Amino acid sequence: MNNYMKESRLLHGGDYNPDQWLDYPEILAKDLEMMGQAHVNTVSVGIFAWSALEPREGEFHFEWLDKIMDDVHRMGGNVILATPSGARPAWLSQKYPEVLRTNAKREKMLHGGRHNHCFSSPVYREKVAIINRKLAERYGQHPALLMWHISNEYGGDCHCEYCQENFRTWLKAKYGSLEALNKAWWGPFWSHSFSDWSQVASPSPLGESAVHGLNLDWKRFVTDQTIDFYRHEIKDIRRLTPDVPVTTNFMADTMDLVPFYSLDYEKFAKEVDVVSWDCYPAWHNDWETTADLASKVGFIDDLYRSLKGKSFLIMESTPSGVNWHPVNKTKRPGMHLLSAMQHIAHGSDSNLYFQWRKSRGSSEKFHGAVVDHDNSTDNRVFQEVAQVGKLMEKIATVKGANKQAKVAILYDWDNNWALDDAQGFAQATKRYPQTCQAHYRYFWDRDIPVDVVTPNYDLSQYDLVVAPMLYLLTETNMQHLADFVKGGGRLVSTYLTGIVNESDLTYINGWPATLQDLFGVKVKETDVYYPRDHNQVVMADTSYSVKDYAALLEVLDAEVVARYGEDFYAGEAAVTKKTTGNGTAYFVGARTDNDFLVDFYQEVTAGLNLMPPLVVAGDPEVSVQMRTGSKGDFTFVMNFSEMTKTITLAREQVDLLTGKTVPTQLELRPYQVCVFQRKV
Ligand code: GLA
Ligand code: ZN
């Protein structure tokens, strides 16, 4: 059993950069003392420490890291040890300029910043292999080593000659012949057929990027090439430390808080032992409610948990504000605990921070940290962090417990890329991830557990699958959805579905026959609205407003659930339902407001037992999530509002966080969270 399996605590701590403080032994000594006070049990070390580890080529300094590893072990803590490839020393860029990235305009980048290396460069790979091997050899058996943190927040792409060559090799493997590639990419359009492999190059703004098949394949290649680099990074690590789990920290896209755009995490998740991610919601902003934002966090937690179908880690979060939002607001009292508990409620086994101690210099010197420039434990942020650490100890038995859901919402990276690239519809209103989040909202508001999975996933375990806007839908996945309905499932699909195949080529003969058969309708046209255009759908005498998109449907053998209220298609079907055996397929032709989704999903979910948690708050702003594991059920009740809320419990319960019995009329203060356990 490895240290990670043996560890019975939830992980609390985070990015620790002692390499910035080597001239301050008194600070380093104080760190350990303060970590104890903050209930920190885990630190992530060495993420950007390459210049401290190898200040000159081939000259290695591990003594400082030896001491940190030993010190952390002595305090009973764990180290998540990073490979330092996220940023490199200047000597490396200076001596081997090929390691520097080339941007899409074919401009060679200069040394500076971070996360800007070429994933193909043989020299970079060689240098990374050396330092990674040395780390694995030196610390592989160290008792403090918990897990490997490979690089940091992989992202971006490189357009250098090495990468172009690798792209061509990737394409050759995929298509076999240039003829096949030209067919898949619709080559004759604007004379974009290639007659020699050497003509094929990555998309560039200088070349307009009009070939959508190329754009899509480039994005897929970037994911594969990043994974290839990651595999290279872990080669010796796996060989030398086969039992130590490996992760790399995933991201989300902010400010809107949607899943990370540019890497296909479905593929990447297969390569890691544990999914971990970095989450920085802009709490207390002035454009959405706390519950609005919390539901988006919940969506991403549920997606990243579902990638491996097991608990995950929050690798980074901030104890207060960040430094890179347009406005870096600090968390109000109580929000830090609530936010940490929300991740745990959705399946996280940690709450880790960026960062332990605020740096004195450079761009992150004002980023929130556990230890501020005052170097004191005597301030609100430190106290709240310590409180979170203490409370995490009280609910440690939740570690490893999973969530169970009967509802799945589908999310697909390929689809997001293809739809984003499509020139048509309305660029500003496509909003695919946000639409998935809007549908998720119905379930989050009602405390119905949801998995967020990709269309390739095994759907048979679900009662209801919600698949908004699958513009790119392969024939295999169409069949997959049809099989789900045939098996008795309920399926919801929407406008902008089933338009292109995996090559971003539209289906011949219009809307695919498999979908016509499945939904009992045919999409004839898709109307696109200006922001001030309007329409309604009318369902059971109630009108709901329509915005952005309206599909015009020909009804084949479906029942009409709602009809359009206006325009030249007034009275025509807008929402339909087709029953096949025990299964039902709904097609929502229009983008509506939330009122419609509420009434619609009430009908869709009627008669299903969607396994709500043991407590149902009955208040959208009070979120209830449940994890189930070998130690029983853990129910998290969280008030995502600035008001006191009263909810009714079926019986008195003990709140694990306070150890006190709460009455059946439970009053929750703003941002308060309670955790109840039902033992098995
Ligand atoms: C990312 C990085 C960290 C740090 C934080 C700041 O998540 O991984 O190194 O820069 O952002 O929020
Ligand atoms: Zn490159």
Side-chain angles (χ1 to χ4, degrees), residues 283 290-299 301-302 338 341-343 345-346 403 440-450 613 615-626 634-641 645 647 649 666 668 671-676:
W283 294 117
T290 303
D292 290 340
L293 181 52
S295 77
K296 295 179 187 170
V297 174
F299 177 87
D301 274 340
D302 282 337
L338 178 62
M341 287 294 158
Q342 184 190 16
H343 294 302
H346 281 264
K403 261 184 76 178
Y440 174 86
R441 188 67 187 266
Y442 174 86
F443 303 94
W444 188 85
D445 279 354
R446 282 158 192 76
D447 306 326
I448 298 169
V450 171
V615 174
V616 176
D619 183 322
E621 290 181 314
V622 177
S623 174
V624 184
Q625 299 289 331
M626 191 167 88
F634 296 82
T635 302
F636 293 72
V637 182
M638 299 165 278
N639 182 1
F640 284 101
S641 84
K645 300 273 185 176
I647 67 160
L649 304 176
L666 171 61
L668 291 163
Y671 305 150
Q672 193 185 341
V673 48
C674 296
V675 185
F676 306 124

Side-chain angles (χ1 to χ4, degrees), residues 291-553:
D292 290 340
L293 181 52
S295 77
K296 295 179 187 170
V297 174
F299 177 87
I300 304 177
D301 274 340
D302 282 337
L303 171 62
Y304 292 177
R305 172 182 52 77
S306 302
L307 288 171
K308 286 192 98 67
K310 63 177 196 186
S311 60
F312 60 93
L313 297 176
I314 288 296
M315 189 60 86
E316 293 179 22
S317 61
T318 178
S320 51
V322 296
N323 68 326
W324 51 269
H325 288 169
V327 173
N328 299 295
K329 191 165 181 170
T330 198
K331 286 180 187 163
R332 312 287 99 177
M335 178 46 81
H336 180 51
L337 173 65
L338 178 62
S339 170
M341 287 294 158
Q342 184 190 16
H343 294 302
I344 296 172
H346 281 264
S348 171
D349 283 343
S350 72
N351 196 57
L352 299 165
Y353 308 113
F354 180 85
Q355 52 189 334
W356 166 252
R357 180 183 283 279
K358 261 184 200 178
S359 52
R360 286 189 70 193
S362 293
S363 64
E364 288 183 330
K365 61 178 171 296
F366 298 118
H367 191 290
V370 181
V371 182
D372 209 330
H373 295 140
D374 66 0
N375 197 23
S376 156
T377 57
D378 193 19
N379 60 60
R380 183 179 70 90
V381 171
F382 189 96
Q383 298 290 331
E384 288 200 36
V385 166
Q387 176 72 356
V388 166
K390 200 161 140 194
L391 295 178
M392 284 171 71
E393 287 163 8
K394 304 204 162 160
I395 56 164
T397 40
V398 76
K399 187 179 182 243
N402 209 339
K403 261 184 76 178
Q404 293 174 336
K406 285 281 167 201
V407 179
I409 298 188
L410 303 192
Y411 182 81
D412 185 34
W413 273 270
D414 262 13
N415 175 58
N416 196 28
W417 294 335
L419 183 58
D420 183 52
D421 207 22
Q423 284 185 35
F425 317 115
Q427 203 57 40
T429 60
K430 285 176 191 163
R431 298 176 65 77
Y432 165 63
Q434 292 86 347
T435 305
C436 294
Q437 288 174 324
H439 285 255
Y440 174 86
R441 188 67 187 266
Y442 174 86
F443 303 94
W444 188 85
D445 279 354
R446 282 158 192 76
D447 306 326
I448 298 169
V450 171
D451 285 347
V452 184
V453 301
T454 68
N456 307 316
Y457 204 82
D458 172 21
L459 303 176
S460 59
Q461 55 184 301
Y462 300 110
D463 291 342
L464 170 62
V465 168
V466 177
M469 297 178 74
L470 285 180
Y471 162 81
L472 183 157
L473 184 57
T474 63
E475 289 193 49
T476 312
N477 282 336
M478 276 178 213
Q479 199 49 54
H480 199 183
L481 295 178
D483 290 345
F484 168 71
V485 174
K486 217 173 278 161
R490 296 188 194 176
L491 170 70
V492 175
S493 172
T494 73
Y495 55 91
L496 295 189
T497 287
I499 299 176
V500 298
N501 70 7
E502 59 273 28
S503 300
D504 208 345
L505 295 177
T506 60
Y507 283 106
I508 296 183
N509 297 328
W511 217 49
T514 312
L515 296 181
Q516 293 186 32
D517 191 46
L518 173 57
F519 294 103
V521 297
K522 188 171 176 175
V523 177
K524 296 182 293 182
E525 279 184 62
T526 299
D527 198 6
V528 183
Y529 292 178
Y530 282 99
R532 276 188 285 190
D533 286 339
H534 51 80
N535 203 335
Q536 302 94 44
V537 293
V538 184
M539 177 169 73
D541 295 332
T542 308
S543 281
Y544 308 86
S545 61
V546 168
K547 57 188 176 193
D548 304 336
Y549 298 101
L552 278 55
L553 308 176

Side-chain angles (χ1 to χ4, degrees), residues 88 97 174 181 213 232 344 519 632 645:
R88 66 195 166 276
K174 174 166 182 177
L181 175 142
H232 173 80
I344 296 172
F519 294 103
K645 300 273 185 176

Side-chain angles (χ1 to χ4, degrees), residues 15 47-48 114-115 152-153 249 278 280 316 322-324 354 364 367:
D15 283 23
I47 299 173
F48 298 112
R114 60 169 176 176
H115 298 160
N152 190 65
E153 296 192 335
N249 45 345
D278 303 344
Y280 294 102
E316 293 179 22
V322 296
N323 68 326
W324 51 269
F354 180 85
E364 288 183 330
H367 191 290

